[in-house]
Amino acid sequence: MPAITATAPGKVILFGEHAVVYGRPAIAVPVNQVRARVVISADPHSAPGRVLVRAPDVGLEAELGELPEKHPLAQAILGTLKAFGLERMPACAVRISSTIPVAAGLGSGAAVSVALIRATATFLGQRLPAERVSALAYEVDKLYHGTPSGIDNTVIAYGLPVYFIRGQPIELLKLPVPFTIVIGDTGIQSPTAIAVGDLRRLWQEDPGRYEALFDAVGVIAQAARRSIESGKPDELGPLMNENQVLLAKMGISCPELDRLVAAALSAGALGAKLSGGGRGGNMIALVRSEAAASVAQALERSGAIRTISTSVRLRAQ
Ligand code: PMV
């Protein structure tokens, strides 16, 4: 049996991170330049159930049975088996790799889960629609951070731009006019769970203030959807700037993100904001395609350790 390969893209949140945890809408798009990849090869010489899991990027090499049941990789494989009413895998070797930076707001955890779930299903001779892949990846994401909204697993499992409201059926965005964003990485690893937990404490102390901020973010996400779907992506620039001001008021930005946002705007970006969990990780800037290289250079001069320019469109190119 030939080896099975499955991949999944990274993602950025264009609008609505954090407020999405509290039921407001958010918009996320896949980033196809970075991907998680899983290869599963049958091992006909070993006993059924023997699964060797290797993730050299994080120095992991273990038998599936040795991993704690709550380990995200174990959970992805075991959850998929269970979805088909199976108890164990045929003997195999699972190799996991990823070019998606970790703890940077680019969805690395969800992308590994989605690729692993897909590869496992295919290896078992089964097919899983995106909706079920997404639901299984959501269960794994809960292990990383207790109250995920579900936006990461959704945009990554579908691999398409989404308008997302927690607990509601997914809405894929119409996108008549593609647009370009430059992603800049502060290089600061910032676990989403910490920022989400801190914000929850602040919200509990002063719900009125934070509900008003979340409402304002939700209005921006709705306006952004209209701009995207009516083919006027330039209008997203000012909306990104407004969203960034609100995120800063929530305590989710940091000096390094502020510096990159300012650098992008001075270099001619139409708008810029942090993306994802915040306090580090990545920011995004909306640019005219011809300005992508100069904005990326400005970000690098201001401390970005990596930049990615990506065209947001309905299909990967
Ligand atoms: O995985 P990240 O860092 O892109 O963050 C996800 C977005 C949050 O809104 C901060 C959390 C969530 O569960 O939606």
Side-chain angles (χ1 to χ4, degrees):
M1 182 187 183
I4 300 287
T5 301
T7 70
K11 71 101 210 345
V12 284
I13 296 181
L14 295 187
F15 294 95
E17 51 275 273
H18 287 286
V20 70
V21 176
Y22 298 82
R24 276 47 165 209
I27 294 176
V29 299
V31 177
N32 290 297
Q33 284 88 340
V34 285
R35 298 189 81 82
R37 179 183 165 89
V38 172
V39 180
I40 305 186
S41 330
D43 176 3
H45 306 296
S46 293
R50 189 158 185 267
V51 177
L52 178 65
V53 181
R54 286 168 55 223
D57 301 347
V58 292
L60 176 97
E61 178 158 345
E63 299 271 339
L64 178 62
E66 290 167 2
L67 293 175
E69 211 180 308
K70 292 276 168 241
H71 191 286
L73 301 178
Q75 177 84 26
I77 297 173
L78 297 173
T80 309
L81 274 172
K82 215 167 139 204
F84 297 117
L86 298 170
E87 266 169 30
R88 48 179 194 191
M89 291 276 277
C92 62
V94 179
R95 190 177 190 283
I96 298 157
S97 58
S98 173
T99 55
I100 308 173
V102 175
L106 291 181
S108 65
V112 166
S113 299
V114 165
L116 185 51
I117 290 162
R118 273 200 192 121
T120 303
T122 308
F123 184 68
L124 294 168
Q126 306 281 351
R127 283 183 66 83
L128 274 179
E131 191 182 351
R132 291 194 68 203
V133 173
S134 179
L136 287 168
Y138 180 68
E139 291 305 312
V140 182
D141 221 16
K142 280 201 222 161
L143 301 172
Y144 289 103
H145 43 103
T147 57
S149 63
I151 192 169
D152 278 24
N153 50 282
T154 302
V155 63
I156 290 170
Y158 283 83
L160 289 168
V162 298
Y163 182 80
F164 179 86
I165 301 175
R166 186 173 193 166
Q168 294 196 10
I170 172 191
E171 294 180 68
L172 299 175
L173 282 177
K174 294 187 232 2
L175 208 149
V177 177
F179 52 93
T180 304
I181 55 173
V182 179
I183 304 168
D185 189 346
T186 61
I188 301 170
Q189 291 201 350
S190 171
T192 300
I194 296 180
V196 169
D198 288 352
L199 183 55
R200 181 163 297 274
R201 273 184 292 281
L202 291 168
W203 170 75
Q204 280 162 348
E205 282 164 22
D206 190 353
R209 173 170 196 267
Y210 288 90
E211 286 292 324
L213 290 170
F214 300 151
D215 279 343
V217 170
V219 170
I220 290 173
Q222 286 168 345
R225 177 191 198 163
R226 285 194 294 275
S227 299
I228 293 172
E229 297 202 316
S230 59
K232 294 179 189 148
D234 283 6
E235 292 177 0
L236 299 178
L239 294 171
M240 280 188 180
N241 296 339
E242 283 173 41
N243 197 161
Q244 172 63 16
V245 169
L246 295 166
L247 285 160
K249 285 189 181 161
M250 292 175 208
I252 294 303
S253 198
C254 66
E256 293 80 1
L257 282 166
D258 292 343
R259 189 162 66 230
L260 294 187
V261 165
L265 294 174
S266 319
L270 303 171
K273 62 181 277 292
L274 68 84
S275 178
R279 301 267 180 81
N282 281 277
M283 49 72 67
I284 53 173
L286 177 74
V287 299
R288 296 201 201 285
S289 56
E290 59 277 16
S294 54
V295 170
Q297 277 165 13
L299 290 173
E300 280 159 23
R301 276 198 305 274
S302 299
I305 61 158
R306 180 189 308 102
T307 58
I308 300 168
S309 296
T310 187
S311 169
V312 179
R313 54 181 66 244
L314 280 187
R315 293 276 162 226
Q317 283 201 318

